[in-house]
Amino acid sequence: MFDPFLETLNKGLLAHGGEQLAAPGDFAEQQSSKRGSLIRSWLWSVPGFRRWRVTRLDAGDSLQVLNSVAYPALDNDQPILGIDLLWFGARQKLVAVLDFQPLIQDEAYLERHFQGLKQLHARYPDLSGEETMRSFDPNQYFSPWLLFCRGGAEQASGSLPEAFDLFMQCYWDLTDKDSGGNESMAPAKVQQLQIDYDRYSAERDPAHGLFTSHFGKDWSDRFLHQFLFPATV
Ligand code: BLA
């Protein structure tokens, strides 16, 4: 379902000097014969980023996922890239979340990093609904301009592919231009906020139960703490 999106993501990574590495050990690939599902993950080494992970889950008609998080290098206080795309085929249900996840909610910080995403948000009203968050706090590590849609096939094959391309382009533009200058945060502060992001996300990620039902508790606990949010080891 999301393979064209994964292709767009991978192409952008290659174009920015990225090198694809297998995820360590049994995080690279895991299969559930019971549920007929396959989860694969990669790490990318990308100039300007300290960590970039990508995960694809194929559970057939029941669920397809593309999830990715990019942590900029500590001398760059730009937002964390957050991608979570889910397609529940049997129910024809889409959950799409694309955001530049702000380290802080300060007005000057948002002003500095969010001009592009703000425009994109305005351009795709069907992906910018005021969806309610059940497990996360919208005011922590989410921006006011995230693309967040609980929809169906119409959005999945309609506006989402184009919006995704522009969203990635917009994040690369942010990365390519030096938006730091005197106002940027000290690396130690960036580091602390990225660690806090992992802790916050690991606590609230609604995926853990899902992983457990497919791949067992032991693997899922390790995957959550060691691969998805490694600052929580
Ligand atoms: C929601 N993400 C969800 C849900 C699941 C996942 C099962 C609940 C679906 C629903 O609300 O109907 C699944 N999350 C995953 C999977 C992985 C994962 C499979 O991390 C890992 C491979 N989630 C992120 C990132 C963002 C994000 C990076 O991992 C930011 C863009 C957002 N996911 C996000 C949000 C929701 C969600 C905002 C809705 C949760 C809520 O209502 O609070």
Side-chain angles (χ1 to χ4, degrees):
M1 174 69 177
F2 297 121
D3 283 353
F5 296 73
L6 181 58
E7 218 167 282
T8 300
L9 179 60
N10 287 348
K11 267 192 199 149
L13 283 159
L14 287 172
H16 283 79
E19 193 187 335
Q20 193 182 44
L21 313 165
D26 64 355
F27 300 144
E29 190 171 318
Q30 199 62 207
Q31 237 169 332
S32 160
S33 40
K34 190 176 66 177
R35 305 288 299 259
S37 51
L38 172 69
I39 188 166
R40 297 187 70 195
S41 295
W42 301 269
L43 279 176
W44 284 79
S45 161
V46 189
F49 289 85
R50 73 171 181 82
R51 181 180 175 82
W52 194 312
R53 64 164 167 85
V54 179
T55 296
R56 173 189 187 276
L57 169 66
D58 176 4
D61 222 20
S62 104
L63 180 60
Q64 301 279 322
V65 179
L66 177 62
N67 182 278
S68 184
V69 174
Y71 303 81
L74 300 182
D75 61 359
N76 180 354
D77 72 357
Q78 84 179 47
I80 291 169
L81 175 79
I83 295 173
D84 201 13
L85 301 176
L86 297 94
W87 174 250
F88 301 87
R91 288 181 278 149
Q92 296 282 292
K93 180 186 148 187
L94 172 78
V95 180
V97 194
L98 301 173
D99 200 10
F100 298 177
Q101 304 202 254
L103 294 178
I104 52 173
Q105 299 283 342
D106 174 85
E107 208 172 298
Y109 176 90
L110 297 177
E111 187 68 25
R112 201 148 48 84
H113 293 299
F114 284 83
Q115 299 309 325
L117 191 61
K118 212 187 273 192
Q119 280 181 18
L120 216 57
H121 182 91
R123 185 164 163 178
Y124 293 99
D126 61 333
L127 302 178
S128 310
E130 301 290 312
E131 303 291 348
T132 312
M133 288 193 193
R134 299 166 190 149
S135 50
F136 292 109
D137 171 1
N139 298 313
Q140 219 179 330
Y141 292 110
F142 286 99
S143 83
W145 304 286
L146 87 165
L147 304 181
F148 182 13
C149 163
R150 294 184 198 276
E154 206 174 304
Q155 286 84 9
S157 56
S159 43
L160 190 62
E162 184 185 283
F164 183 80
D165 286 3
L166 293 172
F167 171 81
M168 283 313 303
Q169 192 52 56
C170 187
Y171 192 70
W172 288 122
D173 287 349
L174 192 65
T175 306
D176 292 342
K177 90 172 193 276
D178 178 12
S179 56
N182 299 334
E183 301 149 79
S184 61
M185 274 182 235
K189 179 96 194 276
V190 173
Q191 182 174 36
Q192 191 54 56
L193 289 164
Q194 289 191 2
I195 290 171
D196 290 350
Y197 169 87
D198 270 12
R199 292 192 179 134
Y200 166 81
S201 305
E203 242 170 59
R204 299 181 182 227
D205 196 330
H208 186 257
L210 185 147
F211 288 141
T212 303
S213 73
H214 284 255
F215 307 108
K217 181 167 173 3
D218 170 64
W219 184 88
S220 302
D221 284 352
R222 287 189 296 112
F223 187 63
L224 181 77
H225 292 290
Q226 295 173 26
F227 184 75
L228 293 181
F229 306 110
T232 64
V233 171

